Amino acid sequence: MGVLGVALLAAPVPAFGRAHSVGGGSAEAVRVGSAYAWVIGDSVVIGDTLVRRTWRESNGSVETTGLTGPDGTQWARPAPDFTLQIGIAGVTTSSTTGWSLASVKPVRTKTAVGVNFSYALVSPSLPSGVTLERDVRLQPGKATMSVTSTLHSALLPLRIPSYRLDQITPRTTALPQEVYAYHEGSDWRDDFRHITHPAGTFDQQGETLRAGRASGFFLVSQRRGGLASRAQHTAAGADAVGVDWARDLLDAGPLITDPPNYNTVGNPAYPVPLRARLVVPGETLKLGTAWTGVYAGPRGDGEESAAASFEAAFPWHIDQTIGANSFHPWGHGTGMSDANLRKQIDAAAKLGVERYMLDDQWQGGAGGESGDWHFDASRFPDRNHDGVPDFITYLHQKGMQLGLWMSPVEFNMKSQTFAKHPLWGCAPLGDLTSQVPDDAGLGAWDATNPQFQTYLLSVINRLVKDFGVREFKFDFMAWLDCGTHDYADYEDAFVSLVRRMEAAHPNVTFELDETNDQRAWPFESESLGPSWFDNNHQHGIDPVSELLHDLWSAAPWMPTQTLGLGSFDGAALAEGRTANYLMPLALLSHLTFWTDFTALTAAQREQTAWWLTWDKAHRSSVGPMVYELTRNDPASGKNWLVLQPWHNEAGYVFAFRQDTTDSRIHVALQGVRPTTAYVVTDVRTGKVVARTSGSKLRRGLTITAPSRYSARVLRVSPARRGHTGPAAAAG
């Protein structure tokens, strides 16, 4: 750390507790562990040993005055920390224009410190009685803070075309820029992430913006991807992430499935704001959360260090339970039934599978259709009339957990619930689509309707209580305009509902299907739970290469364990891939088998059981950080993919050799300490591959795989005293 960093991060902290007077001004401070926040006169500070951010207030206007990184670099110069457009004309306001700071105070929770800024709208051309809350939170030992903004309208409706969730204005205009934009929709497209390095002023679609090289800062928007999701470098020199609703026209859902537009339709009249967020009097609008962090990497490319800093602080919901799903190969056919699936439970339990999910068509019959959510008695009978289908009882007797697919915001045209409550439908579009004959149902509920919300929560409570459901997979989510509520209101209402479900059932996993539509991908979704990400629509890509491509697309900014992929899908097995090749891939995902377990060969069963036993013993040490050690997209099927899950000071290297003549690859490891001695061990054979220093591993480790379509999993851990092994193939 530089001298400047030592001076700033070690600056004296005032006494903690109740407000008191310092030098004639008011002061208040809080601390949780090594993290601290204080307000002294016109100065505001939040920090820890890795990061420090400062603000200054003057006559009601507020500027970010500094952002210091772990290497002591001061990145920010004084400038506003947010902007907000208001009204039909799009009047631009900021923390220095149009708003006046009403109060600022440090806050403390059990796990974090924070600063709460409260602003009042004072622009003479805009309504009065409007307030804005900005809450900054920092956990001890983290280099990334969250910034959450909430708008309150008291008197008049308020129209918001665009806003920047957080912004930092760097001291130098020469910082290199990197932007990540994420696209959902694996059913329709394969370009799930776009990485660009724009220069000068820019305003482009993106959720992650990084400024710097080996060290720097970054901003991440928790809003979903789409045309409205923006990463910007402004003419005033600010780096920002935010939302520009005026760029959107509508979500076309499954109606547009071809490039380049897919499901989104942009506003042809932009910048005229045909669409904007509307805050009605007396209501609150949650603008969203940004994550702002600093990093200092050991190498010229700081991307991995920035992603590691972000992942250490983001509230990921990662479930590493070993699961299976009924949809492949059974779908909606007769195999989706008690008699057939008992054989699957028997075979899966022997392998070590822990959870079995019934996909679409577990529901059905009079009073059971989508929207009613009761078991189809013809597929899953309850012969002893105890209220629980016999199959569910059998599953639990085998020691397995139950998962259920649902389309929670849609209903079947035969739904009795819709017949009783037609006003719960999303008018007019949801009522029209309910007339389309479909097994699952295409009618759409109004997710903003409080009565429907209460009903859906009661359905989840019933299914958890009566049948012991441990995971839900929520599918067919498409955000709609319903009456006076637009599709952004719809999205917010549904996400809020899922958060309420999680609060009521903390031991239940809620998985969102991200295979098409404008859903919640990436960071909004991943803050709720895993994403079902791939239905094996290859688009000409080898089925296994496509799944490797999914993992590659997530790393390094997202844990690959949040992606639900169809492991052992029939297409993959038909290609002749061994379980020793497919299982390491599966272990890096939200492990979900899509297969007929009774059809596995003896060799496939033996290899699968070995990896599942290994996973249960080591899953807590696999990730969540996953470094991307090879840059080329594996979708071609002609190269290697090497990923490095890492946790604290140890982790693994997962190497996949595809259809390439190169039997070895040399990769530089990330996250290792230069002066630490490491042992590299093949987890399948137990043999020591290398014994070397972290500095040599940073220069490179050679990995060999003798045959095409083979995988190596290597454990990288600090050497124990007295440990011996061969010299390293590194350096």
Side-chain angles (χ1 to χ4, degrees):
M1 180 180 294
V3 174
L4 177 61
V6 172
L8 285 173
L9 298 183
V13 180
F16 291 84
R18 299 180 64 84
H20 56 280
S21 178
V22 175
S26 61
E28 189 173 0
V30 296
R31 180 189 289 278
V32 174
S34 58
Y36 53 85
W38 76 73
V39 178
I40 302 178
D42 59 2
S43 297
V44 182
V45 178
I46 190 169
D48 200 311
T49 56
L50 297 176
V51 63
R52 181 183 175 100
R53 185 170 181 176
T54 59
W55 295 262
R56 187 169 297 277
E57 182 267 343
S58 177
N59 297 320
S61 94
V62 177
E63 290 184 320
T64 288
T65 54
L67 180 68
T68 308
D71 62 352
T73 302
Q74 175 59 261
W75 294 106
R77 62 179 171 87
D81 66 353
F82 74 87
T83 62
L84 189 68
Q85 283 194 329
I86 302 176
I88 296 176
V91 176
T92 300
T93 65
S94 73
S95 62
T96 61
T97 305
W99 296 90
S100 180
L101 184 68
S103 67
V104 57
K105 61 181 179 180
V107 294
R108 176 175 56 196
T109 68
K110 292 182 179 179
T111 60
V113 298
V115 178
N116 173 265
F117 296 88
S118 179
Y119 294 89
L121 189 61
V122 294
S123 173
S125 62
L126 296 171
S128 60
V130 180
T131 60
L132 174 68
E133 304 288 335
R134 282 176 60 82
D135 287 295
V136 184
R137 294 287 185 270
L138 176 66
Q139 295 178 332
K142 309 299 183 184
T144 301
M145 62 192 69
S146 64
V147 184
T148 301
S149 301
T150 306
L151 195 64
H152 309 273
S153 179
L155 300 176
L156 295 173
L158 202 62
R159 185 177 167 89
I160 309 296
S162 69
Y163 51 87
R164 298 179 192 143
L165 290 164
D166 200 17
Q167 62 185 46
I168 298 293
T169 303
R171 300 178 73 184
T172 173
T173 59
L175 288 180
Q177 307 280 316
E178 180 178 68
V179 175
Y180 273 62
Y182 292 93
H183 304 295
E184 74 298 298
S186 68
D187 278 4
W188 302 338
R189 63 195 302 167
D190 299 297
D191 54 339
F192 308 136
R193 72 172 187 186
H194 286 269
I195 306 172
T196 58
H197 297 87
T201 300
F202 61 85
D203 180 357
Q204 62 187 61
Q205 181 177 338
E207 292 73 54
T208 297
L209 186 155
R210 181 174 69 93
R213 290 188 175 87
S215 59
F217 66 90
F218 60 86
L219 301 105
V220 178
S221 170
Q222 196 174 331
R223 301 300 305 198
R224 64 169 168 83
L227 294 176
S229 181
R230 312 307 293 177
Q232 302 168 320
H233 185 74
T234 72
D239 286 318
V241 292
V243 183
D244 188 356
W245 292 112
R247 292 181 179 274
D248 263 351
L249 183 63
L250 57 89
D251 171 12
L255 301 179
I256 299 179
T257 61
D258 297 321
N261 295 318
Y262 297 97
N263 56 337
T264 62
V265 179
N267 175 10
Y270 185 83
V272 177
L274 300 181
R275 182 180 292 279
R277 300 304 304 272
L278 181 66
V279 191
V280 301
E283 289 195 0
T284 294
L285 175 63
K286 295 181 179 179
L287 296 174
T289 298
W291 297 79
T292 300
V294 291
Y295 68 95
R299 290 153 34 89
D301 182 4
E303 176 188 17
E304 309 286 352
S305 298
S309 178
F310 170 64
E311 289 200 6
F314 192 79
W316 303 104
H317 285 237
I318 299 174
D319 180 1
Q320 292 178 300
T321 304
I322 300 166
N325 182 290
S326 65
F327 196 73
H328 278 203
W330 317 118
H332 296 174
T334 57
M336 177 61 172
S337 62
D338 183 324
N340 178 60
L341 294 184
R342 287 195 188 214
K343 294 178 288 186
Q344 296 302 311
I345 294 300
D346 291 343
K350 289 180 181 178
L351 289 175
V353 177
E354 299 165 308
R355 180 181 297 163
Y356 199 89
M357 176 174 287
L358 298 177
D359 210 280
D360 189 9
Q361 298 304 293
W362 65 267
Q363 79 287 1
E369 299 286 359
S370 296
D372 300 328
W373 302 114
H374 290 277
F375 278 90
D376 185 340
S378 65
R379 293 179 184 268
F380 299 100
D382 174 17
R383 296 181 180 86
N384 63 0
H385 306 291
D386 66 351
V388 180
D390 301 339
F391 174 79
I392 306 305
T393 301
Y394 186 80
L395 178 146
H396 287 313
Q397 288 173 345
K398 290 290 184 177
M400 297 186 69
Q401 300 171 359
L402 174 65
L404 290 179
W405 172 97
M406 287 181 68
S407 54
V409 293
E410 295 195 319
F411 58 86
N412 186 278
M413 61 192 300
K414 298 177 182 178
S415 165
Q416 293 183 4
T417 304
F418 178 64
K420 294 177 182 177
H421 304 285
L423 296 182
W424 292 0
C426 176
L429 187 59
D431 296 334
L432 294 174
T433 58
S434 69
Q435 304 307 309
V436 179
D438 183 84
D439 287 340
L442 292 175
W445 298 114
D446 181 355
T448 69
N449 184 300
Q451 292 176 308
F452 166 70
Q453 294 175 358
T454 299
Y455 167 72
L456 183 59
L457 290 171
S458 73
V459 170
I460 297 300
N461 293 341
R462 169 174 57 82
L463 294 173
V464 172
K465 177 178 179 293
D466 293 350
F467 309 117
V469 180
R470 292 294 300 276
E471 181 174 355
F472 290 95
K473 173 186 170 187
F474 288 162
D475 199 358
F476 290 169
M477 297 170 298
W479 316 132
L480 305 173
D481 294 326
C482 300
T484 60
H485 292 285
D486 75 352
Y487 78 80
D489 296 331
Y490 195 106
E491 175 190 354
D492 285 352
F494 179 74
V495 169
S496 178
L497 263 176
V498 177
R499 297 199 190 283
R500 291 166 66 184
M501 295 172 191
E502 290 184 325
H505 305 287
N507 295 323
V508 176
T509 295
F510 293 89
E511 178 181 30
L512 303 189
D513 190 307
E514 302 289 355
T515 54
N516 53 44
D517 294 334
Q518 288 189 23
R519 296 187 173 175
W521 178 257
F523 298 113
E524 183 176 66
S525 173
E526 304 294 15
S527 70
L528 297 172
S531 291
W532 181 254
F533 197 72
D534 203 312
N535 285 330
N536 266 181
H537 292 207
Q538 289 88 39
H539 310 144
I541 301 175
D542 171 88
V544 182
S545 298
E546 180 187 0
L547 301 185
L548 293 174
H549 165 78
D550 296 344
L551 301 180
W552 173 83
S553 297
W557 286 91
M558 285 178 282
T560 61
Q561 298 95 328
T562 63
L563 300 185
L565 311 176
S567 301
F568 280 33
D569 184 48
L573 292 176
E575 296 293 330
R577 311 294 194 257
T578 68
N580 277 335
Y581 184 61
L582 297 176
M583 281 305 303
L585 190 166
L587 298 184
L588 286 177
S589 70
H590 177 54
L591 208 165
T592 308
F593 285 102
W594 246 12
T595 194
D596 179 354
F597 289 106
T598 66
L600 298 181
T601 66
Q604 290 169 337
R605 290 196 301 271
E606 182 277 326
Q607 294 172 12
T608 301
W610 189 95
W611 283 107
L612 294 185
T613 300
W614 182 89
D615 176 67
K616 292 176 183 178
H618 300 92
R619 62 176 59 152
S620 63
S621 62
V622 181
M625 181 64 205
V626 179
Y627 293 111
E628 176 190 8
L629 302 188
T630 47
R631 298 298 183 184
N632 293 330
D633 188 344
S636 69
K638 302 296 183 181
N639 53 5
W640 284 74
L641 172 67
V642 185
L643 300 173
Q644 182 191 338
W646 202 251
H647 182 67
N648 293 331
E649 296 185 16
Y652 299 87
V653 174
F654 281 63
F656 302 89
R657 178 187 173 185
Q658 299 195 89
D659 185 16
T660 172
T661 58
D662 296 328
S663 62
R664 63 179 57 199
I665 189 169
H666 196 68
V667 291
L669 270 58
Q670 300 277 346
V672 292
R673 297 180 182 273
T675 59
T676 299
Y678 288 90
V679 177
V680 182
T681 308
D682 187 305
V683 304
R684 190 69 166 99
T685 65
K687 294 182 179 180
V688 174
V689 174
R691 189 169 184 269
T692 188
S693 68
S695 62
K696 290 185 178 181
L697 290 175
R698 284 185 176 181
R699 291 199 294 269
L701 172 71
T702 299
I703 303 170
T704 62
S707 61
R708 290 178 171 84
Y709 304 117
S710 58
R712 298 281 302 279
V713 179
L714 307 176
R715 170 69 171 168
V716 182
S717 56
R720 300 187 304 271
R721 181 174 297 179
H723 189 100
T724 60

